[in-house]
Amino acid sequence: RACTGISSNSSELRACLPAITIMATMYRKIIVQTGNIIDMEDQIRLVGQTSSEELKGCVKTALNEWSSPSAARQHHPRPATIGCEVEEEEGTVVVQGNRKPLMYTAGICGGISTTAKIFLSDNLGDYVTDAIKTVMRNVDRERIESVILSLPDVSDDLTLQDLMGVWRALELAVDEGYVTHLGIADISNSLFKELYEWSRVKPTTFQINLECCCNPSEEMTEFARTHDVQMLTHSDNSDMLDEDVMSSILSRVGVPQAVCQVQWLARHRTIMQCFGLILDKGYTIAIDCTGGND
């Protein structure tokens, strides 16, 4: 859905506003990368948050870090820099929170593993591809071990035909070596079986929302066991990104009246495999602003 921002106090825009305001009529897309939650003292101490509350807090922290004068002067040896970054050739503004290099030794204790869950606003393969490549650049990894797809509509009206385009994009990512394992969330048991039989690269993970089902059917459990599918539960909100978050982003960037549409939201998590220790967790949001700048 289209979202319009609200006016923001000019003092809140601080160092980045002049550079970004100049580019406001040129950029067509906003990428928000929250940075690593593990490094956010104000977030890591919060217990019992919902996923949408966690996202909202992380975006707020990232916007504060990004708009501060000190953030614009910092540089880290990672692909995405901190502060005001405008990719003029692509018309993209990148808003990034503070991100420290991950401290781990490659090859020790089984290495690390990254999982990404992609929440789509529309069933478009291009969104899937863009999300995977953007997250890879953000976390500075050549491969994501597992990608789980969350669709905008998982009602009984959803058909295999609706899934084909996005699943082919996932299969292509596997073919190109960007992703190892695929999964999907919240579709019906019968549709999951159809997807499994049709797909060339089979889903190995099936996520179920705890609000909808606590115990899967015996038939589905047997299917998962027979086909080596991991069944997991989750508690993600059906509406992860609300109007307040969008308004905050647009106001801080300096275009509070722009009409924008979220393309996709991704949450990543990188763990040290032998201990299950979370090294990195964060969110990435892709926002299309062509509706307000054309």
Side-chain angles (χ1 to χ4, degrees):
R1 61 177 183 269
C3 301
T4 57
I6 57 175
S7 298
S8 175
N9 189 302
S10 59
S11 63
E12 294 179 338
L13 302 178
R14 285 182 258 179
C16 294
L17 177 58
I20 292 174
T21 302
I22 293 173
M23 300 299 298
T25 59
M26 298 177 64
Y27 69 71
R28 303 170 66 85
K29 187 174 182 179
I30 301 170
I31 298 291
V32 180
Q33 298 170 337
T34 65
N36 190 351
I37 296 175
I38 307 303
D39 297 329
M40 299 178 184
E41 294 185 5
D42 58 336
Q43 291 300 313
I44 200 65
R45 296 176 182 174
L46 297 177
V47 179
Q49 289 191 108
T50 64
S51 52
S52 60
E53 289 171 342
E54 180 182 70
L55 171 62
K56 189 172 185 177
C58 291
V59 169
K60 179 180 178 180
T61 299
L63 290 174
N64 289 337
E65 291 174 345
W66 175 75
S67 63
S68 67
S70 59
R73 295 192 297 267
Q74 294 183 45
H75 297 279
H76 287 261
R78 296 184 65 83
T81 57
I82 295 172
C84 302
E85 179 176 327
V86 179
E87 300 174 12
E88 296 182 43
E89 69 281 4
E90 297 181 1
T92 301
V93 175
V94 179
V95 177
Q96 179 158 348
N98 192 4
R99 170 176 285 280
K100 300 176 183 177
L102 296 185
M103 301 303 294
Y104 73 94
T105 303
I108 298 298
C109 199
I112 63 174
S113 176
T114 298
T115 297
K117 185 171 183 178
I118 301 172
F119 302 82
L120 295 178
S121 67
D122 201 352
N123 295 336
L124 295 177
D126 288 345
Y127 287 3
V128 174
T129 302
D130 183 44
I132 291 171
K133 292 184 177 181
T134 303
V135 172
M136 286 174 59
R137 288 195 300 269
N138 184 23
V139 301
D140 194 18
R141 297 212 61 205
E142 296 180 354
R143 179 184 294 108
I144 297 175
E145 278 68 26
S146 178
V147 170
I148 297 172
L149 200 60
S150 178
L151 304 173
D153 177 19
V154 290
S155 68
D156 293 338
D157 295 331
L158 188 68
T159 67
L160 179 60
Q161 187 71 29
D162 298 325
L163 291 177
M164 287 181 175
V166 293
W167 200 261
R168 287 191 180 108
L170 287 173
E171 291 179 326
L172 181 59
V174 173
D175 293 341
E176 294 177 340
Y178 297 144
V179 178
T180 305
H181 301 291
L182 304 178
I184 195 164
D186 300 328
I187 62 175
S188 67
N189 293 345
S190 58
L191 184 55
F192 182 86
K193 293 176 183 179
E194 286 186 61
L195 174 64
Y196 190 93
E197 297 300 330
W198 167 82
S199 59
R200 179 172 55 83
V201 180
K202 308 298 183 183
T204 58
T205 301
F206 185 23
Q207 274 198 345
I208 303 172
N209 196 315
L210 283 171
E211 291 185 357
C212 302
C213 176
C214 294
N215 297 308
S217 67
E218 292 184 9
E219 181 184 0
M220 190 63 214
T221 301
E222 182 59 29
F223 181 90
R225 183 185 300 113
T226 302
H227 296 86
D228 198 24
V229 173
Q230 186 180 25
M231 297 191 70
L232 302 173
T233 57
H234 74 88
S235 57
D236 291 323
N237 301 86
S238 57
D239 189 4
M240 290 281 289
L241 195 64
D242 60 25
E243 296 282 349
D244 290 341
V245 176
M246 280 291 292
S247 296
S248 298
I249 294 170
L250 298 180
S251 294
R252 190 60 57 91
V253 167
V255 285
Q257 302 305 320
V259 178
C260 298
Q261 170 75 37
V262 175
Q263 295 178 329
W264 53 263
L265 161 69
R267 179 180 62 225
H268 73 269
R269 185 179 68 169
T270 299
I271 65 170
M272 184 179 292
Q273 294 194 90
C274 62
F275 297 120
L277 179 67
I278 300 176
L279 301 173
D280 181 14
K281 181 182 179 182
Y283 294 85
T284 306
I285 308 168
I287 303 169
D288 174 72
C289 289
T290 55
N293 294 326
D294 283 346

